[in-house]
Amino acid sequence: MESNSRYYQRRAVEERLAAQRSITEEARAWHAQLAIQFAERAAENRQVAA
């Protein structure tokens, strides 16, 4: 089973890639914001696990 930290990190990468592929600025901004949120959650989970 995938850990929460790994899941959030994977989703951050996926959202960054989606932002790069986005056609509209609105979609790009939305995916970029999601990437930031997932990266923050990954970092929080790494701190809790440590």
Side-chain angles (χ1 to χ4, degrees):
M1 177 185 243
E2 186 175 39
S3 71
N4 286 343
S5 182
R6 279 186 176 264
Y7 170 78
Y8 291 136
Q9 187 61 41
R10 179 174 55 82
R11 291 293 294 130
V13 170
E14 290 172 351
E15 290 300 333
R16 279 190 216 109
L17 292 173
Q20 291 173 358
R21 292 189 308 264
S22 294
I23 295 170
T24 67
E25 185 58 37
E26 183 179 6
R28 187 173 296 113
W30 180 251
H31 287 295
Q33 183 59 41
L34 285 173
I36 291 167
Q37 291 173 359
F38 280 122
E40 288 171 349
R41 290 178 187 172
E44 290 169 2
N45 275 279
R46 280 192 300 268
Q47 289 175 354
V48 169

